[in-house]
Amino acid sequence: MKNFIKKHKMVLAIAATAIVSVIATLAAGPLSAQEETNFEKVSKLANQGNIEAQYNLAQMYSLGQGVKQNYNQAKYWLEKIAEQGYAKAQSGIGTMYYYGQGVKQDYQEAVKWCKKAAEQDEAPAQSMLGVMYYEGQGVKQDYEQAKYWLEKAAESGDASAPYFFGLMCYEGQAVEQNYDKAKYWFEKAAKQDNDLARYILETMYYENQGAKRSFDQIKSQLEKSAELEDSKAQYYLALIYGTKFDHKHAKYWLDKSAQQGNADAQYYLGALYFYGLGVKQDYKQAITWFEKSAGQGNAKAQYAFARAYYYGQGVNRDYNEAVKWFEKSAQQGNVNAQSALGSMYYEGKGVKQDYREAFNWYKKAAEQGNASVQNMLGYMYVSGQGAEQNYQEAFNWYKKAANQGDANAQMALGSVYYYGKGVSRDYQETFNWYKKAAEQGNAQAENTLGYMYFHGQGVKQDYQEAFNWYKKAAEQGNANAQYETAVMYRDGVGTAQDYHEAVQWFAKAAEQGNAAAQYGLGRMYYTGRGTEQNYQEAFNWYKKAAEQGYVLAQCGLGMLYFEGQGVKQDYREAFKWTSKAAEQGDAPAQANFGNMYDVGRGVTQDYQKAFYWYKKSAEQGNAIAQYNIGTMYYSGQGVKRDEKEGIKWLEKSAQQGNADAKNALEEIKRNKKS
């Protein structure tokens, strides 16, 4: 089940729509054995066409994880999958155009890409699109459209949308002015660490007995207080500018507030430097402000500071320091720090490996609703790591994460239903959850969906649908799906027969080490289907698969050695490989093995052993072995003579169309007549 563990993905650069949410991306950094993906491995998978790897690679370039930060490369990889309809990538491209990261700033392009993603229910894109309609950026200002998209994003749990939607209710823009609704949405935003929403709520509660002020009046009052060096007013004013994407003025007021020692302002100022918003990107400056804020006990800054130590951004990588600051933040309830600390204990980075401690911290984060960690918790219950194995608990946590749209949890939940662990086996539920994950581009789920359509598990058998899903997964680099796609092209099942396409897909899977595909490719070279006949290439691929224990390849390799095709004839090697396949129960190999004993090639001639292996093969329905065993019974070679048994086996072989068996039976009849 390890494949179902979620990789905690970093939201690309600045996918949120306000400075408050911008900084939330700092709190989403990957930090586990499953998260911190090796750059070279991701690059390899991305170049093989794996969509998830391409998205992860874009993130790594965007954030400078495992590679020097490069927005142009991030954009390159995002565009590849955005054009294929991958919503997260479309949202990421829109964000890059909005901020001018790796491209010239272009609000119209930002609108175009965000709209594509928003229409696929990508909440951050819906939120950003709503804000662009709200502000009239790249599109004509339209509060109705702003309301439509912000409401969708807010209901999906996006971090920044509730603030903007609350503001519309507060001001009566495109909706009836309603302070109760405004409070409802501001409270949602406040729970997601939106300090500006908290401030407006405080204002609303304070003014409950008096006249309500408009947002412009609130801003005007903050400006007056900020000019009088009120650090809190300066901080809140900076947030207001941040929500309007005016990073220049946001930085101006953050600078003033931070210089006076306001910890929140110090944190957000560090974030501006970290991401290069309104200032030149500068990790060292970012770290300076994170450290000041963290030293004052700001949990978000403590997390950001720890994360910098973890990745070595602006400071030398130091897992011990990372653990220290993660723990400080986690103790204050920061969900991302709790998740990160759990990962440090899980991996044993900066601390002695301790699954129980990892489990404890993961559980704290999971209980706060972190879907990725809920999925991880499910895995730990399944594997019995850090907690007693409990399939029912695993099911509960997978379900929580899956209901939040976590694709890997959906995949895991489908697997739970498939195997009936912690819940009754239910192929229909299996299919439903795999389909949800597959529709998010999860290659493993797409592959499994192909299997279920092919075999009619949880869904009506449909070879064309099976082919479609296998092909989707194959195009993402899933080796098994590439093999299945090749087989379906070769056999003309679910698609038109195409040997050339079969060879291409066998080759892709074979190069990834898939033994069945290596044999399949070797077979195509042997028969000359879809490619020029080439016994040497057939030998090379058979050998690779045979060395992995693939029985059909072992049998084929033995035959090539026996016949001297693609390799120098060598009966001993033929005997070695044929015996491996025969002992695994392969009927053709058993027939070949019997023949080697029969004629004494590669081994001392032994009719009894020949009969033994022929019989094993014949009992599995091999026509050649049935013919051979029939003649041995009839003549009494290697076994006590038994004409009746001999004729019985010859008839079995003849019924399968074996010409030698037919001729033998005809000869027996003639001899009996004469």
Side-chain angles (χ1 to χ4, degrees):
M1 260 205 166
K2 222 166 191 177
N3 291 332
F4 302 135
I5 302 173
K6 172 71 173 174
K7 292 180 180 178
H8 304 178
K9 294 176 181 175
M10 171 80 74
V11 177
L12 175 66
I14 315 300
T17 54
I19 186 174
V20 201
S21 299
V22 164
I23 314 311
T25 62
L26 277 172
L31 284 162
S32 79
Q34 293 75 41
E35 296 168 66
E36 192 191 31
T37 320
N38 179 278
F39 176 75
E40 289 181 7
K41 183 180 178 183
V42 173
S43 295
K44 184 178 178 182
L45 286 171
N47 283 304
Q48 288 172 357
N50 186 297
I51 290 178
E52 290 182 39
Q54 290 171 341
Y55 179 66
N56 286 336
L57 190 61
Q59 291 177 315
M60 294 174 90
Y61 274 118
S62 179
L63 296 162
Q65 291 176 354
V67 65
K68 187 176 180 182
Q69 189 176 51
N70 187 325
Y71 287 133
N72 289 326
Q73 278 295 309
K75 176 177 175 284
Y76 168 79
W77 287 106
L78 285 175
E79 278 182 336
K80 282 181 79 73
I81 49 179
E83 287 164 359
Q84 294 180 53
Y86 195 70
K88 288 182 181 178
Q90 292 169 339
S91 178
I93 288 283
T95 301
M96 295 187 84
Y97 273 112
Y98 192 94
Y99 289 103
Q101 292 172 323
V103 292
K104 185 178 179 181
Q105 190 176 49
D106 187 329
Y107 291 139
Q108 288 184 335
E109 277 294 302
V111 167
K112 182 184 90 174
W113 286 105
C114 283
K115 194 166 187 182
K116 287 177 185 287
E119 286 168 349
Q120 294 191 64
D121 293 324
E122 180 68 10
Q126 291 171 337
S127 182
M128 179 168 273
L129 186 62
V131 172
M132 287 191 281
Y133 273 114
Y134 185 89
E135 298 288 346
Q137 294 171 316
V139 68
K140 185 178 179 181
Q141 190 175 52
D142 186 332
Y143 289 137
E144 285 290 342
Q145 280 293 306
K147 170 188 175 290
Y148 175 78
W149 289 112
L150 286 170
E151 189 169 17
K152 273 185 168 291
E155 287 170 351
S156 297
D158 181 78
S160 54
Y163 165 76
F164 283 101
F165 197 56
L167 195 59
M168 295 185 80
C169 294
Y170 186 86
E171 291 285 271
Q173 292 166 324
V175 293
E176 185 180 343
Q177 190 174 48
N178 188 317
Y179 292 126
D180 288 334
K181 280 189 177 179
K183 277 183 182 178
Y184 171 80
W185 289 109
F186 283 143
E187 282 169 354
K188 272 188 170 290
K191 284 176 183 176
Q192 296 184 64
D193 282 336
N194 188 309
D195 287 344
L196 188 52
R198 286 193 185 109
Y199 173 73
I200 297 173
L201 277 172
E202 287 174 11
T203 303
M204 292 177 77
Y205 289 130
Y206 177 76
E207 294 173 343
N208 238 356
Q209 296 175 344
K212 296 287 189 298
R213 290 181 293 171
S214 69
F215 184 75
D216 284 341
Q217 288 173 320
I218 292 173
K219 180 172 176 283
S220 177
Q221 181 59 52
L222 283 172
E223 284 172 340
K224 290 176 183 177
S225 299
E227 292 291 354
L228 296 171
E229 302 301 324
D230 182 325
S231 69
K232 280 193 174 181
Q234 291 168 338
Y235 167 63
Y236 289 125
L237 192 58
L239 294 187
I240 288 174
Y241 280 113
T243 63
K244 293 183 175 295
F245 302 98
D246 185 342
H247 300 302
K248 182 179 177 182
H249 284 94
K251 181 187 176 294
Y252 173 81
W253 290 110
L254 283 176
D255 257 330
K256 283 187 165 292
S257 182
Q259 293 291 353
Q260 290 194 67
N262 184 293
D264 290 322
Q266 290 169 340
Y267 167 62
Y268 285 115
L269 185 58
L272 290 185
Y273 278 112
F274 191 89
Y275 283 115
L277 295 174
V279 293
K280 185 178 179 182
Q281 188 178 51
D282 188 334
Y283 284 144
K284 288 191 176 179
Q285 275 283 9
I287 297 307
T288 297
W289 289 110
F290 285 154
E291 187 174 15
K292 287 178 184 292
S293 180
Q296 292 193 65
N298 184 289
K300 286 181 281 189
Q302 289 168 340
Y303 173 82
F305 195 37
R307 183 183 171 283
Y309 272 115
Y310 183 89
Y311 286 114
Q313 292 171 311
V315 291
N316 292 326
R317 175 176 277 191
D318 188 329
Y319 292 139
N320 292 325
E321 280 294 306
V323 166
K324 181 179 108 178
W325 289 102
F326 279 141
E327 188 163 12
K328 286 178 182 291
S329 182
Q331 293 287 5
Q332 293 192 65
N334 183 288
V335 63
N336 296 292
Q338 289 169 344
S339 171
L341 193 57
S343 299
M344 301 297 274
Y345 275 109
Y346 188 88
E347 282 195 349
K349 285 185 174 177
V351 67
K352 185 179 178 182
Q353 189 177 52
D354 187 331
Y355 290 140
R356 189 166 291 281
E357 271 298 298
F359 177 87
N360 290 338
W361 285 110
Y362 279 143
K363 195 162 189 286
K364 288 179 186 292
E367 286 168 346
Q368 290 197 61
N370 185 301
S372 298
V373 182
Q374 288 171 342
N375 179 59
M376 183 64 182
L377 209 60
Y379 168 74
M380 293 185 82
Y381 271 118
V382 165
S383 61
Q385 289 181 329
E388 189 176 336
Q389 191 176 55
N390 188 324
Y391 290 120
Q392 183 61 55
E393 278 296 309
F395 171 80
N396 293 339
W397 286 108
Y398 281 144
K399 189 82 179 283
K400 287 177 187 289
N403 282 332
Q404 290 193 66
D406 185 290
N408 281 2
Q410 291 168 343
M411 183 71 191
L413 193 59
S415 182
V416 168
Y417 275 114
Y418 186 87
Y419 292 106
K421 296 287 183 73
V423 66
S424 298
R425 176 176 282 188
D426 188 330
Y427 289 142
Q428 182 64 56
E429 279 295 309
T430 296
F431 175 81
N432 291 340
W433 286 107
Y434 281 150
K435 193 156 192 272
K436 287 178 186 290
E439 286 169 347
Q440 291 194 63
N442 183 293
Q444 188 178 351
E446 291 170 343
N447 173 62
T448 308
L449 215 56
Y451 177 88
M452 297 190 80
Y453 270 114
F454 192 93
H455 294 280
Q457 285 187 331
V459 66
K460 186 179 177 182
Q461 190 176 55
D462 187 328
Y463 291 135
Q464 192 170 339
E465 274 296 300
F467 175 79
N468 291 339
W469 286 107
Y470 274 140
K471 186 92 180 287
K472 284 177 183 287
E475 287 168 348
Q476 287 201 64
N478 183 287
N480 183 73
Q482 290 170 340
Y483 166 72
E484 296 292 352
T485 300
V487 170
M488 295 182 85
Y489 269 123
R490 182 194 66 194
D491 299 339
V493 176
T495 186
Q497 191 174 56
D498 189 327
Y499 291 137
H500 179 73
E501 278 292 314
V503 168
Q504 302 308 308
W505 288 107
F506 274 137
K508 287 179 185 289
E511 285 161 5
Q512 290 196 65
N514 184 290
Q518 290 169 341
Y519 170 72
L521 184 59
R523 187 72 184 155
M524 299 299 277
Y525 276 115
Y526 185 83
T527 58
R529 287 178 174 173
T531 183
E532 274 189 37
Q533 190 175 52
N534 188 323
Y535 290 141
Q536 191 171 340
E537 276 296 302
F539 171 82
N540 292 338
W541 288 108
Y542 278 168
K543 195 164 191 292
K544 287 179 186 291
E547 287 170 346
Q548 292 193 65
Y550 194 74
V551 65
L552 295 179
Q554 291 172 338
C555 179
L557 190 62
M559 182 198 69
L560 291 178
Y561 272 117
F562 192 87
E563 300 292 341
Q565 294 175 316
V567 66
K568 185 179 178 182
Q569 192 174 53
D570 188 329
Y571 292 135
R572 287 191 178 278
E573 279 293 305
F575 179 84
K576 181 182 92 172
W577 287 106
T578 304
S579 69
K580 288 178 183 291
E583 285 163 1
Q584 290 187 68
D586 182 70
Q590 289 170 339
N592 290 345
F593 204 36
N595 183 60
M596 297 177 88
Y597 275 112
D598 197 354
V599 299
R601 288 184 179 167
V603 67
T604 303
Q605 190 176 51
D606 187 326
Y607 291 132
Q608 286 184 329
K609 285 186 178 178
F611 175 83
Y612 172 82
W613 286 107
Y614 280 147
K615 193 159 190 282
K616 277 187 169 292
S617 180
E619 286 169 345
Q620 292 192 66
N622 184 280
I624 293 172
Q626 288 170 342
Y627 164 73
N628 286 330
I629 201 175
T631 60
M632 292 183 88
Y633 266 121
Y634 197 82
S635 64
Q637 192 179 53
V639 67
K640 185 179 178 181
R641 190 168 189 271
D642 187 331
E643 289 186 16
K644 188 177 178 181
E645 274 294 300
I647 291 171
K648 182 185 86 173
W649 285 106
L650 287 171
E651 286 175 342
K652 285 180 180 285
S653 181
Q655 285 166 7
Q656 293 194 65
N658 185 285
D660 289 333
K662 289 177 182 178
N663 292 335
L665 287 168
E666 286 295 325
E667 187 176 344
I668 289 170
K669 285 180 184 178
R670 283 195 301 271
N671 289 338
K672 282 185 177 181
K673 286 179 182 179
S674 61

